[in-house]
Amino acid sequence: MDGISADAASTKFLSFTQRSVSEDLGCRRGEFSRKHYGSVELLISSDADGAIQRAGRFRVENGSVDESTDYTPGTWRRTDVHLENPEYHTRWYFKYFLGKVHQNYVGTDADKNPFFLSVVLSDQNNQRVPQYRAILWKKTGTQKICLPYCPTKTLSVKSILSAMNLDRFEKSPREILNPEIQKDLLVLEEQEGSVNFKFGVLYAKDGQLTDDEMFSNEAGSESFQKLLNLLGDTITLKSWVGYRGGLDTKNDTTGIHSIYTVYQGHEIMFHVSTMLPYSKDNKQQVERKRHIGNDIVTIVFQEGDEASSSFKPSMIRSHFTHIFALVRYNKQNDSYRLKIYSEESVPLFGPPLLSPPVFTDHQEFRDFLLVKLINGEKATLETPTFAQKRQRTLDMLIRSLYQDLMPDLHKNMLNRRSFSDVLPESPKSARKKEEARQAEFVRIGQALKLKTIVRGDAPTSLATTGLCRKEPWESQCFCNSFTHEALGGDSWGQSLLVSTDAGVLLMDDGQPPVTVFDKTFQIKQMHVLENLDLLITRVDKGKEARLYVFRLSSIKKGLEDKQVMKSKYECRENKLEKTKGCHLYAINTHHGNELRIVAAIRNKLLLITRKHKQLNSFTGFTVTSPSTESPVEEFQYIREICLSDPPVVMTLVDGPTGENDNMICVAYRHQFDLVNESTGESCRLHHVDASRVNFVAAIDVYEDGEAGLLLCYNYMCYYKKVCPFNGGSPILQPSASDFHFSWNQVPNAVVCAFPYILAFTTDSIEIRLVVNGNLVHTAVVPELQLVGSRSDIYFKATAAVGSSSNSSSKDTSSHSSPMTPTAYELPVFPSSPGEAEVQCRNIYKIPLSNLVGRSIERPLKSPLVPKVITTPTSSGIAGIPVTHSLSLSRMEIKEIASRTRKELLGLSEESAPKSESSHKQKKLSRKQTDEDSKQETPSSPSTERANSGSFESNSEGQRHCSTSSDPDTNISVEESPPFNSSPFLMAASFDEDIVDLK
């Protein structure tokens, strides 16, 4: 390869090849459309005489614009219920730092704005994946990143800040040794939002048009009471010690009773209009409006049939309420109907409503409603009104804390280890003094963690919903003990065609692999196009790198005839000659008119096309002359386009007409450019403002037929809408639909499967929503490598077999105990498997149909055998019953508090069950309230926090948590999952939220 080394080409391949297999989002990756989240409308409310009172612009979600249309393939039918940006994933300082040995730094940037940095070296959920976690607090917000741990290379504070794009300082960072800083940093983290929520519940009779009429309803109906029983439990406010949501718990000035529940670790207090004080002399019911009018989210229960719905959010006079959930109950079919109104400035949030938005399963309705309301309140905090207030508060707290630390500059509280290695070895002379400081540091941190847990403000949930269901990203073991190095792959029917160091293998579930090409033919990039009967490959070997094209039917015939595997020499008739030196290529997403290939040869782009041939109606393959097995003659070279630098990432963007408006997105240097295929003209799409750039992906997304691009580099992901105009000149002006978000760890590959976008790192899969970038899950998968993702997603990962995750948890717990700290002691990360442990590299599969929520139209016949392979069902993996939804929040708060208390007091495990925390007796009344509630209404959800003290020993024999979380939240594990189960189970942790139901 002229001017480009093999190593450089390999690096460029890694950043592109993983992306290229996910470029067909538009036709295979589900439907990306924000219409599922409603449309903005101008809503005008009027009184009984027709006079206009108020008007407002709200986004209205009612499930579907036209609910009478029949279902057709590809339409939105299913929705997954996920908490977005869950606190147990996002509250890093509480979870990973507080009560553990870590370092904190303070400094000022080039604009003289103070900042704080916290760094900890931790095991990623006890999966023996050591990594650094860093949190940067600035006035504009909090930035969190993960960095890999290398035992032979130390990490400096300067390199951490550089990874966060902070390279210039007015005052260099200095370490804070005072352990009391942990309390201040915890306060900074709590500015992200409350862990607990208060929601308003307003009862409205049929025909009521003003908020005065609604607030004046002294009592609700039987249907309204049924909804309240579904939402939570009735509690007595006087002497209530749980989350009170602003209600009076001493003098009954805000009512005698209220509705309360705990959902996924979040305490929720409902401000019910009919339970708040009623005044006959006060027409406006100020006391009721004082609470409900100051709630960000309000549920409006309206009586009457669906046709007479007259509620509009502009009827409610409140500058604070941004989201209204309109609920109606149908007695005839015992169902609830939901409609969501969001103020126009509120960002999109999920889950999107079903179509039609009717729930016959009441528990499903409760889960959907609570998740929707919690996500809605979090989204509202990102509106300009709330975001500016939060930024001012954060800026004030940071500056105040910085000023408090300044007088101690000369008292050795801050030292000059500004750019020293993180967690360095201290001299022996200072070892004892450092050990004593660390012991005090950990003791204060754990006491603060315990206090936060007891107060009920800790993000300690195991994220359960109460419904037994599998998460869509759960994987299935496709191949056990895969010993080869995977270079790339693609799906072929239900099989996997994978390039390895031993050759190209065709693999099917449960069958031995078949070698298609020997190891002389090393494919670094491939596309299996079944509808075109084509296999496109890039064989990368320096200057001899070329594109090769094959007919799938010829390969399949050779397999059926059991012919000898082909070598590179035997494939010489299949190479495209002009592609010599090609270091990457891309194909277009849609093949409706023609197949387009763009090959990158150093800084030159070569455009190649192949016209569609006539299709055989029986086989679906193209009809070609039987004498020509090679399809090379069907390809034609169109033109060459010269760039200023060799591209590192490349993808094709289809124009709306396909005539002179197709574009190529390329990434090089510090920029993403759009190049017109017809004219070669280029324009700047996005400039990367960073000292170092690691390009990851450029994924074409077609939102309602309009092209857009997801640009991924470093920790960032930007969505840019591209609107071709005037013969292909794109409009690149900032759009209201553009957005961006940050990954927690630099991905090696990104895969889109609407509504999800998945980032594959070296040891985890980070799952977010495409529509807003919000995090929904992080799965720990050691030694992860993406293999293919054009259809089902295949990845390679390490599975530890034969060891108990219990022991791992206990070992790590001992290192964070304040009783036996050592100077800068590191967690133990075994470099080799133990005696009873074997490291297996398996290939796993995530069915695409599970992610996108519908069946995928593709051939299901395997090229290996003549039998028909059925689409995998959503049953348990490898015969293991798994659920993400068994609620454990009844026990978790007490369990965590009890464990932390034992660590503080140095109690043994034998005496632990006998010890009771001091606040347990205070919550017995909540336990009794919950038991009474369950007797009166069997279908009512239990109050989880109220029952947090009712964890009995026999429950341990019924529930075995397969998580191996950090020591503060660990629950014992009885046995490890089998080796052939999903890596999400083998890597089960606090982040995986998995519970085995025995």
Side-chain angles (χ1 to χ4, degrees):
M1 190 180 306
D2 298 337
I4 299 178
S5 66
D7 291 338
S10 176
T11 302
K12 294 177 180 179
F13 156 73
L14 286 176
S15 64
F16 171 74
T17 230
Q18 307 289 0
R19 179 219 57 80
S20 65
V21 294
S22 63
E23 65 184 352
D24 53 350
L25 169 67
C27 56
R28 283 183 164 183
R29 286 295 175 215
E31 180 187 359
F32 177 43
S33 176
R34 296 181 226 206
K35 291 180 180 179
H36 302 314
Y37 296 83
S39 58
V40 177
E41 301 177 13
L42 176 63
L43 302 178
I44 302 174
S45 62
S46 56
D47 56 20
D49 298 329
I52 297 177
Q53 292 183 323
R54 285 172 299 278
R57 293 181 61 85
F58 287 83
R59 181 182 296 108
V60 182
E61 294 184 60
N62 58 3
S64 176
V65 178
D66 185 5
E67 297 171 0
S68 62
T69 56
D70 296 331
Y71 168 72
T72 55
T75 57
W76 189 258
R77 298 292 293 182
R78 187 209 67 177
T79 184
D80 291 303
V81 179
H82 306 296
L83 280 179
E84 299 176 12
N85 294 327
E87 280 72 14
Y88 50 87
H89 281 306
T90 60
R91 298 296 177 92
W92 279 18
Y93 192 77
F94 178 89
K95 181 178 177 182
Y96 299 108
F97 292 73
L98 193 59
K100 298 180 178 66
V101 176
H102 65 277
Q103 290 180 290
N104 301 299
Y105 296 84
V106 62
T108 54
D109 60 18
D111 297 326
K112 300 183 178 181
N113 295 315
F115 65 85
F116 289 88
L117 175 70
S118 297
V119 184
V120 67
L121 176 61
S122 65
D123 183 359
Q124 182 157 314
N125 305 305
N126 299 327
Q127 295 307 312
R128 299 179 181 179
V129 181
Q131 62 177 191
Y132 290 101
R133 291 182 184 267
I135 306 177
L136 178 64
W137 280 282
K138 300 185 295 183
K139 71 173 187 178
T140 54
T142 304
Q143 187 176 354
K144 306 166 189 174
I145 64 171
C146 294
L147 294 167
Y149 167 76
C150 179
T152 60
K153 182 180 179 182
T154 56
L155 187 67
S156 67
V157 177
K158 183 177 181 180
S159 62
I160 295 175
L161 292 173
S162 178
M164 295 177 164
N165 290 331
L166 187 58
D167 298 304
R168 300 174 58 192
F169 313 100
E170 194 265 336
K171 288 185 179 180
S172 299
R174 282 173 281 183
E175 187 179 359
I176 308 171
L177 299 179
N178 190 338
E180 295 294 335
I181 189 64
Q182 297 175 91
K183 182 178 180 180
D184 299 308
L185 295 179
L186 185 62
V187 172
L188 293 183
E189 183 173 73
E190 289 173 350
Q191 301 309 307
E192 296 179 15
S194 175
V195 175
N196 304 317
F197 299 89
K198 54 187 181 70
F199 299 140
V201 182
L202 180 61
Y203 174 69
K205 294 181 180 179
D206 189 19
Q208 291 183 335
L209 300 176
T210 64
D211 55 354
D212 290 343
E213 294 175 329
M214 300 176 192
F215 281 105
S216 297
N217 293 321
E218 190 171 355
S221 62
E222 180 182 348
S223 300
F224 181 62
Q225 186 60 44
K226 187 174 182 178
L227 173 67
L228 296 181
N229 294 336
L230 180 64
L231 291 177
D233 301 311
T234 302
I235 55 103
T236 301
L237 287 175
K238 197 165 189 178
S239 301
W240 175 254
V241 294
Y243 175 67
R244 60 189 185 92
L247 298 180
D248 182 13
T249 58
K250 295 181 179 180
N251 303 314
D252 290 339
T253 60
T254 57
I256 300 175
H257 300 95
S258 189
I259 302 297
Y260 168 90
T261 192
V262 172
Y263 186 80
Q264 297 197 17
H266 300 285
E267 293 184 79
I268 303 174
M269 181 67 76
F270 294 94
H271 295 161
V272 184
S273 62
T274 56
M275 290 184 171
L276 292 169
Y278 171 77
S279 175
K280 294 182 179 180
D281 301 329
N282 189 341
K283 181 180 178 181
Q284 294 187 351
Q285 302 299 328
V286 176
E287 183 62 26
R288 292 180 170 182
K289 289 183 179 180
R290 184 169 68 89
H291 291 283
I292 298 179
N294 286 314
D295 291 332
I296 295 177
V297 178
T298 295
I299 301 172
V300 179
F301 182 84
Q302 190 170 39
E303 295 280 8
D305 55 25
E306 300 171 1
S308 64
S309 176
S310 58
F311 174 80
K312 294 178 182 177
S314 53
M315 295 176 179
I316 310 300
R317 288 172 290 182
S318 172
H319 296 289
F320 204 79
T321 306
H322 282 62
I323 296 172
F324 295 88
L326 180 63
V327 178
R328 285 179 170 272
Y329 177 69
N330 189 326
K331 293 183 179 179
Q332 295 180 353
N333 56 12
D334 191 27
S335 65
Y336 288 95
R337 190 179 190 92
L338 182 62
K339 194 173 186 178
I340 303 294
Y341 298 90
S342 307
E343 204 273 335
E344 184 182 18
S345 62
V346 178
L348 298 180
F349 61 93
L353 278 174
L354 297 168
S355 177
V358 176
F359 298 82
T360 55
D361 187 322
H362 292 185
Q363 186 61 41
E364 179 185 350
F365 170 68
R366 177 181 185 265
D367 290 330
F368 186 96
L369 180 62
L370 292 181
V371 170
K372 186 71 173 177
L373 300 186
I374 291 174
N375 290 343
E377 179 158 328
K378 290 180 182 179
T380 302
L381 297 179
E382 301 301 322
T383 59
T385 302
F386 289 95
Q388 291 170 6
K389 291 180 180 178
R390 186 175 67 250
Q391 181 174 326
R392 287 196 299 266
T393 303
L394 187 62
D395 185 26
M396 179 188 67
L397 290 174
I398 291 176
R399 291 185 181 277
S400 175
L401 180 57
Y402 180 76
Q403 292 299 325
D404 292 342
L405 294 174
M406 288 302 292
D408 296 317
L409 280 172
H410 305 290
K411 296 182 181 179
N412 294 326
M413 193 192 79
L414 300 175
N415 65 16
R416 280 288 180 178
R417 294 193 300 174
S418 56
F419 290 147
S420 62
D421 295 333
V422 176
L423 300 177
E425 289 290 337
S426 57
K428 292 183 178 180
S429 59
R431 186 70 57 88
K432 291 185 178 180
K433 183 178 179 180
E434 185 63 23
E435 287 180 1
R437 186 193 72 81
Q438 288 190 2
E440 179 68 8
F441 189 92
V442 172
R443 185 192 68 80
I444 291 179
Q446 290 195 346
L448 183 60
K449 175 172 280 192
L450 174 63
K451 183 179 179 181
T452 306
I453 292 172
V454 174
R455 194 173 66 236
D457 294 332
T460 56
S461 168
L462 288 179
T464 57
T465 63
L467 287 179
C468 294
R469 61 181 177 86
K470 284 179 53 180
E471 297 292 5
W473 47 77
E474 284 190 20
S475 61
Q476 306 167 355
C477 187
F478 183 78
C479 175
N480 293 323
S481 302
F482 187 78
T483 58
H484 305 291
E485 178 187 357
L487 305 176
D490 199 359
S491 299
W492 185 357
Q494 290 295 311
S495 301
L496 173 65
L497 188 65
V498 56
S499 175
T500 71
D501 53 351
V504 180
L505 308 178
L506 185 60
M507 305 172 60
D508 206 348
D509 193 6
Q511 298 186 30
V514 176
T515 304
V516 180
F517 302 101
D518 64 15
K519 62 181 180 180
T520 63
F521 196 74
Q522 297 232 341
I523 297 177
K524 297 299 183 67
Q525 189 180 350
M526 69 172 69
H527 285 79
V528 176
L529 307 178
E530 296 175 70
N531 59 327
L532 301 182
D533 189 28
L534 282 179
L535 169 63
I536 305 174
T537 65
R538 175 172 62 85
V539 180
D540 196 351
K541 205 163 186 177
K543 295 180 181 180
E544 297 302 318
R546 280 187 177 87
L547 296 188
Y548 288 73
V549 291
F550 302 87
R551 297 198 195 283
L552 292 176
S553 54
S554 298
I555 297 176
K556 183 177 180 180
K557 187 176 184 302
L559 294 175
E560 293 173 348
D561 297 340
K562 297 183 180 181
Q563 295 179 358
V564 181
M565 54 188 174
K566 289 187 176 182
S567 65
K568 184 178 178 181
Y569 177 78
E570 294 172 315
C571 300
R572 61 189 182 277
E573 294 183 357
N574 296 84
K575 61 185 177 183
L576 300 177
E577 287 293 346
K578 290 188 178 182
T579 61
K580 182 178 180 180
C582 171
H583 65 271
L584 65 86
Y585 77 92
I587 68 172
N588 58 318
T589 299
H590 303 287
H591 314 133
N593 296 323
E594 64 178 4
L595 171 66
R596 307 194 322 278
I597 305 175
V598 174
I601 307 170
R602 289 176 291 179
N603 64 332
K604 180 180 66 176
L605 302 183
L606 179 62
L607 177 61
I608 308 169
T609 64
R610 184 254 197 186
K611 296 292 183 180
H612 262 294
K613 301 297 181 180
Q614 183 180 358
L615 293 180
N616 187 306
S617 59
F618 295 100
T619 65
F621 290 149
T622 54
V623 178
T624 55
S625 172
S627 60
T628 60
E629 289 189 359
S630 172
V632 170
E633 297 178 357
E634 301 170 11
F635 290 85
Q636 53 185 344
Y637 303 95
I638 304 301
R639 66 180 59 87
E640 294 182 357
I641 300 173
C642 290
L643 305 176
S644 58
D645 291 90
V648 180
V649 165
M650 181 170 63
T651 193
L652 306 189
V653 182
D654 292 333
T657 65
E659 298 179 1
N660 301 324
D661 56 3
N662 294 323
M663 290 169 287
I664 310 169
C665 178
V666 292
Y668 46 74
R669 291 188 298 187
H670 284 70
Q671 64 201 53
F672 288 88
D673 284 355
L674 274 181
V675 181
N676 188 294
E677 283 187 11
S678 301
T679 64
E681 298 178 357
S682 65
C683 60
R684 183 71 50 82
L685 177 63
H686 180 73
H687 177 74
V688 179
D689 187 15
S691 56
R692 294 182 179 180
V693 185
N694 175 36
F695 290 111
V696 179
I699 304 175
D700 54 328
V701 178
Y702 299 91
E703 181 181 4
D704 301 324
E706 295 183 356
L709 284 165
L710 282 168
L711 310 177
C712 303
Y713 61 91
N714 295 353
Y715 292 90
M716 301 303 299
C717 186
Y718 277 83
Y719 174 75
K720 294 279 189 178
K721 202 156 192 176
V722 180
C723 304
F725 166 73
N726 278 348
S729 299
I731 300 176
L732 299 176
Q733 298 176 355
S735 170
S737 60
D738 294 348
F739 63 89
H740 69 277
F741 60 88
S742 299
W743 303 105
N744 291 330
Q745 195 169 348
V746 175
N748 297 323
V750 175
V751 176
C752 235
F754 190 80
Y756 306 106
I757 180 169
L758 295 79
F760 289 77
T761 71
T762 55
D763 49 41
S764 67
I765 302 178
E766 191 172 329
I767 304 166
R768 295 178 178 266
L769 298 179
V770 179
V771 73
N772 52 21
N774 287 343
L775 178 70
V776 294
H777 188 75
T778 301
V780 181
V781 187
E783 298 186 50
L784 173 67
Q785 179 191 358
L786 181 66
V787 177
S789 62
R790 270 177 54 84
S791 185
D792 296 329
I793 298 174
Y794 296 90
F795 61 89
K796 185 180 176 184
T798 297
V801 183
S803 64
S804 172
S805 56
N806 217 9
S807 59
S808 173
S809 176
K810 289 181 181 179
D811 293 342
T812 309
S813 179
S814 64
H815 292 293
S816 53
S817 171
M819 307 303 295
T820 57
T822 59
Y824 296 107
E825 187 171 27
L826 301 181
V828 176
F829 306 119
S831 58
S832 60
E835 295 180 358
E837 182 177 304
V838 179
Q839 294 289 328
C840 297
R841 296 297 296 274
N842 301 336
I843 291 183
Y844 298 92
K845 168 184 174 182
I846 303 178
L848 178 61
S849 57
N850 291 354
L851 289 170
V852 302
R854 60 182 173 87
S855 60
I856 306 301
E857 296 181 2
R858 64 173 186 267
L860 295 181
K861 186 174 289 292
S862 170
L864 288 179
V865 291
K867 67 179 181 180
V868 175
I869 307 298
T870 57
T871 304
T873 63
S874 59
S875 59
I877 301 174
I880 301 175
V882 179
T883 174
H884 286 250
S885 49
L886 179 62
S887 179
L888 294 181
S889 54
R890 299 181 181 182
M891 69 181 80
E892 64 191 16
I893 296 177
K894 290 292 182 181
E895 184 75 11
I896 296 166
S898 175
R899 181 171 291 104
T900 308
R901 178 176 291 276
K902 284 187 290 182
E903 291 179 355
L904 292 174
L905 299 178
L907 298 178
S908 63
E909 292 185 5
E910 289 76 10
S911 62
K914 299 179 182 179
S915 64
E916 298 290 333
S917 54
S918 59
H919 67 286
K920 192 168 185 177
Q921 301 297 329
K922 298 180 182 179
K923 301 186 180 180
L924 290 178
S925 60
R926 277 181 276 172
K927 175 182 176 182
Q928 184 64 37
T929 302
D930 179 69
E931 292 175 352
D932 296 340
S933 168
K934 289 205 281 189
Q935 291 176 3
E936 294 172 4
T937 56
S939 61
S940 173
S942 59
T943 302
E944 299 168 7
R945 181 183 173 93
N947 278 334
S948 60
S950 63
F951 174 54
E952 300 176 357
S953 60
N954 63 351
S955 64
E956 293 187 2
Q958 300 170 359
R959 300 176 182 178
H960 302 280
C961 177
S962 64
T963 62
S964 56
S965 62
D966 56 89
D968 300 295
T969 55
N970 183 295
I971 299 175
S972 63
V973 183
E974 183 170 279
E975 60 182 87
S976 299
F979 72 95
N980 61 343
S981 62
S982 165
F984 297 108
L985 305 184
M986 288 177 286
S989 65
F990 185 93
D991 277 355
E992 274 63 65
D993 316 327
I994 298 176
V995 177
D996 280 351
L997 190 60
K998 305 293 183 184

